[in-house]
Amino acid sequence: MLVKRKPAIWNRLYFVEIIQGLWITFKNFLFHKKVTIQFPEQRRDYSSRYRGQHYIKSVNNVENCTACMLCPTVCPASCIHIIAGEREDKEKYPVKFDIDILRCCFCGMCEEACPKDAIKLSNIYEMSQQNREVYEKDFLLEQRGNK
Amino acid sequence: MSFETAFMFGKIAIVLMGLLAVVPIMLFVERRGSALIQNRLGPNRMGPFGLFQAACDVLKFIFKEDRAPDHVNKYYWHIAPWIAVIPSFMTFAVIPFAGTYTDANGHLQFQIANLDVGILYCFSIASLGVYGIIMAGWASNNKYSLLGSLRSAAQMISYELSLGLSIVGLAMIFQSVKLGEITAQQGEVLWTIAGIEIPKWGVFLQPLGFVLFVVSVFAETNRLPFDLPEGESELIAGYHLEYGAMRFALFMMAEFINMAVASALICTLFFGGWQLLPGMDWVVGHLDALGILPSGGALVLCQALSFVTKIAIWMWIFVWVRWSIPRFRFDQLMNLGWKVMFPLALLNVLITGVLIYMGVL
Ligand code: SF4
Ligand code: SF4
């Protein structure tokens, strides 16, 4: 498509253009809504499907997980390490449930694979740590996030 | 110590403090102003409206490690920031910041040095500042820095021509290069249109000269749209690439103070310097009626205030333009300097000469 342009000589004078530009920035300066989100007080609204920090869902303080090993199998980063055990009532449960969160790519496959709705990705995204963190079972069992 | 000497030291102290105070204020204005222009909020956590952010920045500069890279030429590398910053302070010496105060004991001039060469002194000292930049670029022993300072040198030479020539018309009209006299003459009334008195400000006498002067001054202070010596997209940071901590801060200080001096020059030459802003005489009248200050003191105070206000407006325009207009390409810059600004400046001198000869001005 041909775009109609003003005669170049008018633009080459710069002045009109510069004044227009200054006027635009002045309007932005005074009137335009500022887009900054002031983080600790204001937060970005993420979708509830956001994939953040993991947790293991528990019912009556018993984890839903039955150590079926589907999530470590599907995990593309191989970062879930489970050792299965047996409870007194012969039910299978994870003795150890570690997620090496540094290797996790937050793909959410574990959540999708889980038949028991046990492993969940919350929408917590502030996960900075001062040491190399492996999320242990106790940590994961705290019910955090939105689900 | 005689009164004269004490007064002189007082003036120097006021000017130095004022110029030093410009730096943190401009740091704040630049950061918040740029943010607001770009629809951000900018640093707003430290103190009310983020006012203490500048203090934090300065603290950060002071406590940063001041390391010199191995490959630089130590001597020139170390003195370059000082060479950049000192001339920018010196330039202010001839700029009058208030009118002459007369009482029984004689006159008090609010100008550090009333040199006969006036404005020419400003230009000669201001052009010394570029040596700091060239030294920094060369001593950094780094291609980017060297390119930056080469650009700076070329830019200075091309724009100093039109800078000098754009003033010639003004000097012809006011028949003086002394800034004090130029300012004093700008208090007269040029025209009266419908009861509104238009003062004899340089901008009304020399509109073309004014535009040329402002553009050249932007180029001289290395501010956007003419900040090619820095040009971070192509030269990373140009001449101050190898500098850190306080030495970098000195370059920044030089830039801000150059801005202040440039604004002061624009105001003095084209906006009546310390001549009262419209409405200020009302304030003077009321202050005089209060009788706290010695007679005439209120006038001097308001003149200084008007001058500072005008400078502040121009400083804001410097910031505003910086965040509005993209950078020129280097060949465009040179074309503009030599093929547009220079002939226009000559034309301006010619037109002014003709008008003076015809008795219009
Ligand atoms: S989100 Fe993906 S990478 Fe992370 S633990 Fe689950 S399956 Fe593995
Ligand atoms: S897929 Fe679910 S139930 Fe199976 S081991 Fe993983 S978390 Fe436990």
Side-chain angles (χ1 to χ4, degrees):
Chain A
M1 193 182 81
L2 269 179
V3 181
K4 277 244 158 69
R5 296 185 195 282
K6 281 180 226 156
I9 187 80
W10 190 242
N11 292 355
R12 294 288 298 270
L13 269 178
Y14 293 127
F15 273 103
V16 185
E17 311 293 317
I18 283 176
I19 300 216
Q20 275 176 358
L22 286 176
W23 173 238
I24 288 171
T25 45
F26 187 68
K27 276 194 298 193
N28 277 2
F29 176 73
L30 279 188
F31 306 118
H32 202 283
K33 188 172 170 294
K34 307 300 174 218
V35 295
T36 308
I37 295 170
Q38 305 203 48
F39 167 60
E41 297 97 45
Q42 292 173 6
R43 276 153 190 279
R44 190 184 292 277
D45 281 330
Y46 282 111
S47 142
S48 53
R49 303 182 58 184
Y50 184 83
R51 301 194 296 267
Q53 195 178 54
H54 305 62
Y55 68 98
I56 299 176
K57 200 159 183 179
S58 62
V59 176
N60 299 331
N61 286 328
V62 178
E63 65 274 28
N64 283 5
C65 173
T66 54
C68 70
M69 300 293 174
L70 278 179
C71 57
T73 314
V74 77
C75 176
S78 320
C79 64
I80 305 180
H81 305 286
I82 300 175
I83 295 175
E86 207 173 297
R87 262 195 266 269
E88 278 98 71
D89 55 1
K90 302 288 180 199
E91 200 173 326
K92 202 179 173 195
Y93 83 110
V95 181
K96 188 161 158 267
F97 195 118
D98 288 349
I99 298 181
D100 188 352
I101 203 71
L102 270 176
R103 297 185 62 178
C104 171
C105 63
F106 296 96
C107 60
M109 299 276 217
C110 46
E111 187 179 16
E112 269 182 57
C114 181
K116 305 291 286 181
D117 245 7
I119 191 159
K120 289 278 192 186
L121 269 66
S122 67
N123 57 1
I124 294 169
Y125 51 87
E126 303 104 330
M127 283 184 281
S128 59
Q129 302 277 355
Q130 291 188 335
N131 48 349
R132 300 192 162 205
E133 199 64 20
V134 172
Y135 286 172
E136 283 153 353
K137 194 175 149 192
D138 295 338
F139 180 82
L140 288 167
L141 267 172
E142 268 176 54
Q143 303 295 297
R144 299 188 187 81
N146 58 338
K147 291 170 197 171
Chain B
M1 195 158 56
S2 70
F3 176 72
E4 308 281 86
T5 329
F7 184 64
M8 177 58 86
F9 276 116
K11 281 190 293 193
I12 294 175
I14 287 176
V15 167
L16 275 185
M17 307 269 229
L19 285 179
L20 281 174
V22 155
V23 178
I25 295 173
M26 284 320 288
L27 258 176
F28 172 75
V29 172
E30 184 101 63
R31 295 189 63 178
R32 294 282 336 243
S34 69
L36 291 177
I37 282 176
Q38 296 167 346
N39 299 335
R40 297 181 286 119
L41 282 176
N44 61 350
R45 289 298 158 117
M46 290 307 302
F49 306 107
L51 271 171
F52 301 148
Q53 184 66 39
C56 296
D57 285 349
V58 171
L59 266 184
K60 187 195 79 174
F61 276 134
I62 291 173
F63 287 111
K64 265 192 164 177
E65 184 188 358
D66 184 13
R67 67 183 285 282
D70 268 346
H71 57 81
V72 300
N73 182 325
K74 289 281 178 323
Y75 179 68
Y76 292 114
W77 191 81
H78 280 289
I79 62 170
W82 297 101
I83 299 214
V85 82
I86 290 172
S88 49
F89 278 104
M90 282 164 67
T91 330
F92 210 90
V94 292
I95 298 174
F97 50 91
T100 314
Y101 174 74
T102 319
D103 67 355
N105 304 323
H107 302 292
L108 293 182
Q109 270 186 337
F110 290 89
Q111 179 182 18
I112 292 175
N114 190 8
L115 299 180
D116 285 339
V117 288
I119 180 76
L120 299 181
Y121 165 86
C122 279
F123 291 163
S124 53
I125 298 293
S127 58
L128 281 183
V130 74
Y131 284 98
I133 292 177
I134 293 174
M135 258 185 204
W138 182 78
S140 290
N141 193 4
N142 169 321
K143 293 189 185 68
Y144 287 125
S145 303
L146 188 60
L147 275 175
S149 52
L150 276 180
R151 282 179 172 192
S152 174
Q155 181 177 326
M156 285 279 174
I157 291 171
S158 349
Y159 279 82
E160 220 141 62
L161 268 175
S162 44
L163 184 73
L165 280 173
S166 62
I167 292 302
V168 171
L170 209 69
M172 279 156 76
I173 292 172
F174 290 125
Q175 311 216 322
S176 168
V177 285
K178 281 183 167 184
L179 289 169
E181 276 178 29
I182 291 180
T183 317
Q185 287 186 42
Q186 294 189 46
E188 293 159 21
V189 176
L190 184 61
W191 303 299
T192 311
I193 300 171
I196 302 165
E197 287 176 353
I198 304 242
K200 203 177 165 189
W201 285 0
V203 64
F204 299 120
L205 297 171
Q206 286 275 304
L208 182 59
F210 163 68
V211 169
L212 292 174
F213 185 77
V214 170
V215 175
S216 319
V217 138
F218 269 86
E220 287 277 280
T221 47
N222 288 333
R223 294 281 295 183
L224 238 92
F226 302 111
D227 73 335
L228 288 126
E230 287 175 43
E232 60 279 329
S233 49
E234 61 243 46
L235 293 183
I236 312 175
Y239 60 90
H240 57 58
L241 174 56
E242 303 282 1
Y243 287 86
M246 237 15 222
R247 284 177 210 287
F248 166 72
L250 280 178
F251 278 118
M252 213 156 88
M253 225 162 111
E255 180 179 326
F256 282 137
I257 292 169
N258 273 333
M259 249 165 81
V261 172
S263 314
L265 268 182
I266 295 175
C267 297
T268 314
L269 293 169
F270 293 99
F271 287 90
W274 44 257
Q275 299 291 352
L276 294 181
L277 286 169
M280 273 295 216
D281 24 2
W282 181 84
V283 181
V284 176
H286 279 252
L287 274 179
D288 267 338
L290 280 178
I292 315 165
L293 298 159
S295 74
L299 184 66
V300 168
L301 199 69
C302 284
Q303 281 170 341
L305 206 64
S306 304
F307 189 49
V308 171
T309 316
K310 287 174 192 172
I311 292 183
I313 292 172
W314 269 99
M315 299 279 274
W316 166 243
I317 292 178
F318 267 86
V319 173
W320 183 14
V321 165
R322 173 171 180 188
W323 296 104
S324 304
I325 299 172
R327 184 182 299 131
F328 277 80
R329 220 167 50 213
F330 198 67
D331 59 324
Q332 291 173 332
L333 178 91
M334 283 294 148
N335 273 347
L336 184 73
W338 288 99
K339 294 190 189 160
V340 181
M341 305 274 292
F342 182 50
L344 275 181
L346 284 177
L347 186 73
N348 185 41
V349 174
L350 185 75
I351 294 175
T352 315
V354 170
L355 286 180
I356 290 176
Y357 181 74
M358 286 169 25
V360 182
L361 288 172

